[in-house]
Amino acid sequence: MERATPLLRRAGLLLLAAAAFFVCAAAQGGESTPAAGKTPASPRTDRIIIDTLAAYGKLELPPVAYFHDKHTEALAKEKKDCSTCHLTENGRLSFAYRRTSATRPEEIQGIYHAGCIGCHMDMAAQNKKTGPLDGFCRSCHNAAPPPAKPLEAGLDKVLHYRHVASPDISAPKDKDNCGVCHHQADPQTAKLIYVKGKEDGCRTCHGKKAVGRVASLKTASHEQCVRCHLELGAKGVKKNGPYESCAACHSAAGQALIAKNNQAVLEKLPNGQVPRLMRGQPDAVLLAWLEKKAPAEPAARMNPVPFDHKAHEAYADSCRTCHHTGITSCTGCHTLLGDKAGAGVTYEQAMHSPTSRHSCIGCHAARTRQADCAGCHATMAKKDAPDGCRLCHQPLPKGTLPMQELASLTPEQRLAVAEVMLKSRPAQPAPLPAGQLPGKVIIRELSDQYEPVAFDHADHLAKLEKAVKGSRLAQYFHGEALTLCQGCHHNSPASMTPPRCSSCHARDFDPRQPTRPGLQAAYHGQCMSCHKEMQVKLAATACQECHAPKKK
């Protein structure tokens, strides 16, 4: 990709280039390939790999690692803007470098070399810090570029609401501004159009790579977002969003600022909630495999799950929490046997995978890792509750068609069945039998070294009840009166008279039972792990906060 350069010109510039190389190296801020033994450069958010000519054949030199924010900052100091590198056509900024349309590969190569090296040469002639000059091909064409780690950016529901509610954004005939971003190809004209009620996620059409005229997700989202923000800025809109740097959206600091601004918007909304965004979605859904799509598919036998779609919209960050590819039914991609559309993931796996943040169980499991739940759940053995399936897969109401005939119901009838099933669920967990549980428990196991521990059983239970009360999810899955007790009284059936810890944990560790700690380790493991997970202030070495010194 090196530009053919006259030899005389090379000779004349040799000294200048050599001196400028060191200037350039300094300007790179140590981000070039680290020498052996030196600390590697920190990952950047603004690295762009320029490999445009790879589409035309094998590259002669490695692609160029270009740092967009570094150049933006340098241009700003020179009072230059995007138009230094990007041309405008019909009032729209082109994201290609100094061109507005595809051209021949040798012309593209010439545009890059003339533009980049020419700008660097101009800066060097003014004795200013600049980048690589003519002849230092490997300074840009680096086979081992500095690492990049931009954070994934996107719209959660608060940021989405800010765009919907913005008076500075306007879409013709659409008060919600949806048509500014959402579009689809008109099958008749192949032009992009907006269809109310058919808004979908970008990933529905835009994948990792461009396909024909459909740009990649990366290109499409940058062109859509950055161009819109630029146009708002050109109109004089002060709050025109972050577009000035890659870090504004793709760095931890940038995303923290967005989250702070989101929180400020939330605090001004009724109940601290964004208004429900309507797209024709139902309030409730009957989750079940109702229609056979292939003769080989077995008939679904599990009872359906009534899913409170409206309530989950409030819990989720965005529609993508569940609809990770497009806003469609899970059965659109995931079948009973799994196929290509769902990447081989079956319908059952899509709903139950404990490791997927898009599945029901995976999302609920993530909730148990938060501080107010993790005290119990982090140390509990991962096992299926005997009646765990029943909590979601409820029996059909009396008078409803049998499972095998639910497919004949209209969407409205399925919604009605789901709502009846949801209303049959208990609204509150069963109360604990007041007055029948101990207020304090005296633990004397280490009384030969310390005074007995007065464990405030009632206070600990009250804190757990309070945590459950603040979560509808926790209330439902702790519906039985004694479920909470099993956070400590594990591995034995729920009971008003659970066995003592010493019933299972011997005073001394028994090597024949390596998975069962001794009594002291069991107490300390249970108590200190819970305090750590729930972020309760109690140092692991603060023995006397629980164990009073033994009186002599």
Side-chain angles (χ1 to χ4, degrees):
M1 291 174 59
E2 183 181 357
R3 187 181 61 169
T5 307
L7 291 177
L8 287 177
R9 185 181 178 191
R10 283 176 178 269
L13 295 173
L14 184 58
L15 291 177
L16 175 60
F21 172 78
F22 294 103
V23 174
C24 162
Q28 292 284 340
E31 291 170 359
S32 55
T33 306
K38 292 188 176 180
T39 303
S42 300
R44 295 186 59 108
T45 59
D46 66 333
R47 194 193 73 180
I48 297 174
I49 297 297
I50 301 176
D51 60 350
T52 312
L53 296 186
Y56 300 93
K58 185 178 180 181
L59 299 176
E60 297 177 18
L61 291 172
V64 171
Y66 174 82
F67 301 100
H68 196 278
D69 285 0
K70 174 170 284 189
H71 285 76
T72 304
E73 293 165 7
L75 290 173
K77 292 178 181 177
E78 298 297 317
K79 302 189 183 306
K80 297 180 180 178
D81 57 19
C82 307
S83 62
T84 304
C85 300
H86 299 281
L87 305 182
T88 301
E89 185 177 53
N90 299 325
R92 293 173 68 87
L93 195 72
S94 169
F95 283 78
Y97 180 69
R98 291 195 173 183
R99 61 189 189 281
T100 57
S101 60
T103 184
R104 295 180 296 113
E106 55 269 26
E107 290 184 357
I108 296 175
Q109 184 183 52
I111 291 171
Y112 272 115
H113 284 164
C116 299
I117 299 175
C119 185
H120 292 177
M121 295 287 287
D122 291 343
M123 297 282 285
Q126 301 174 50
N127 293 321
K128 295 179 178 177
K129 287 184 178 180
T130 187
L133 303 177
D134 196 8
F136 291 89
C137 311
R138 297 285 179 176
S139 296
C140 294
H141 295 279
N142 189 346
K149 194 176 182 181
L151 298 179
E152 183 178 350
L155 300 179
D156 64 12
K157 63 182 177 186
V158 184
L159 190 55
H160 189 277
Y161 165 75
R162 290 172 60 189
H163 285 73
V164 170
S166 172
D168 300 313
I169 303 173
S170 62
K173 302 178 181 179
D174 179 25
K175 64 180 179 60
D176 293 330
N177 302 337
C178 305
V180 174
C181 300
H182 294 282
H183 53 241
Q184 57 183 269
D186 186 337
Q188 303 298 325
T189 65
K191 293 182 178 179
L192 295 181
I193 58 172
Y194 167 65
V195 181
K196 184 70 175 176
K198 298 293 183 184
E199 300 86 357
D200 213 329
C202 307
R203 290 165 179 78
T204 303
C205 297
H206 301 282
K208 289 186 177 179
K209 295 183 178 179
V211 178
R213 295 178 58 191
V214 181
S216 69
L217 177 64
K218 183 177 181 180
T219 299
S221 55
H222 280 92
E223 289 193 354
Q224 187 87 2
C225 299
V226 176
R227 181 175 285 136
C228 185
H229 285 263
L230 280 170
E231 289 173 356
L232 288 174
K235 293 177 183 176
V237 176
K238 292 184 179 178
K239 294 183 178 180
N240 49 34
Y243 64 84
E244 68 280 7
S245 68
C246 305
C249 292
H250 296 285
S251 72
Q255 294 189 2
L257 179 60
I258 293 172
K260 180 182 177 181
N261 292 333
N262 286 349
Q263 184 60 34
V265 171
L266 271 182
E267 291 173 357
K268 296 178 181 177
L269 293 174
N271 302 317
Q273 291 282 336
V274 298
R276 190 182 183 199
L277 195 65
M278 296 307 298
R279 184 186 170 272
Q281 73 272 33
D283 289 349
V285 177
L286 206 58
L287 295 179
W289 189 264
L290 300 179
E291 291 105 340
K292 291 182 67 172
K293 295 187 177 181
E297 285 181 354
R301 290 176 294 181
M302 291 294 289
N303 285 327
V305 176
F307 179 74
D308 193 336
H309 196 283
K310 182 178 180 180
H312 281 77
E313 288 175 36
Y315 307 142
D317 285 337
S318 73
C319 301
R320 283 194 62 228
T321 299
C322 300
H323 301 282
H324 52 98
T325 301
I327 303 179
T328 183
S329 168
C330 306
T331 58
C333 297
H334 301 291
T335 64
L336 280 190
L337 300 178
D339 60 21
K340 185 177 179 181
V345 178
T346 66
Y347 182 66
E348 184 275 333
Q349 292 168 336
M351 296 293 165
H352 298 91
S353 170
T355 57
S356 170
R357 61 190 176 95
H358 303 299
S359 81
C360 303
I361 288 183
C363 188
H364 290 176
R367 180 67 182 85
T368 66
R369 291 191 284 274
Q370 295 182 11
D372 52 353
C373 301
C376 295
H377 287 276
T379 55
M380 292 176 71
K382 302 294 183 293
K383 57 184 180 182
D384 295 330
D387 58 353
C389 303
R390 180 182 58 81
L391 288 173
C392 296
H393 293 274
Q394 295 178 231
L396 287 164
K398 290 182 179 179
T400 308
L401 291 173
M403 180 72 188
Q404 293 75 15
E405 299 179 28
L406 287 181
S408 63
L409 298 180
T410 65
E412 292 75 18
Q413 290 171 325
R414 294 181 193 179
L415 167 63
V417 173
E419 289 182 330
V420 169
M421 295 172 74
L422 287 171
K423 288 178 181 176
S424 70
R425 288 178 170 178
Q428 299 289 335
L432 287 166
Q436 299 182 42
L437 298 173
K440 286 188 182 297
V441 174
I442 305 302
I443 302 173
R444 305 177 187 280
E445 268 70 15
L446 293 174
S447 58
D448 55 341
Q449 301 174 49
Y450 297 95
E451 291 294 322
V453 174
F455 176 73
D456 195 333
H457 187 273
D459 182 62
H460 281 72
L461 192 55
K463 286 185 168 57
L464 294 178
E465 286 185 296
K466 182 180 179 182
V468 169
K469 190 176 181 181
S471 165
R472 281 188 63 187
L473 176 68
Q475 286 183 29
Y476 186 66
F477 283 96
H478 296 76
E480 300 293 334
L482 300 177
T483 303
L484 266 184
C485 305
Q486 296 197 286
C488 296
H489 301 287
H490 52 228
N491 295 330
S492 63
S495 169
M496 286 291 293
T497 55
R500 296 172 61 84
C501 302
S502 57
S503 299
C504 297
H505 299 280
R507 180 181 177 89
D508 299 317
F509 172 68
D510 184 352
R512 294 171 299 178
Q513 296 179 318
T515 60
R516 184 176 298 181
L519 186 58
Q520 180 178 342
Y523 273 125
H524 285 169
Q526 188 84 3
C527 298
M528 290 192 286
S529 296
C530 182
H531 280 229
K532 179 182 177 183
E533 296 292 342
M534 296 189 76
Q535 301 173 13
V536 177
K537 185 180 180 182
L538 181 64
T541 55
C543 306
Q544 294 186 7
E545 291 195 30
C546 294
H547 302 279
K550 193 170 181 61
K551 296 177 182 177
K552 297 181 180 178

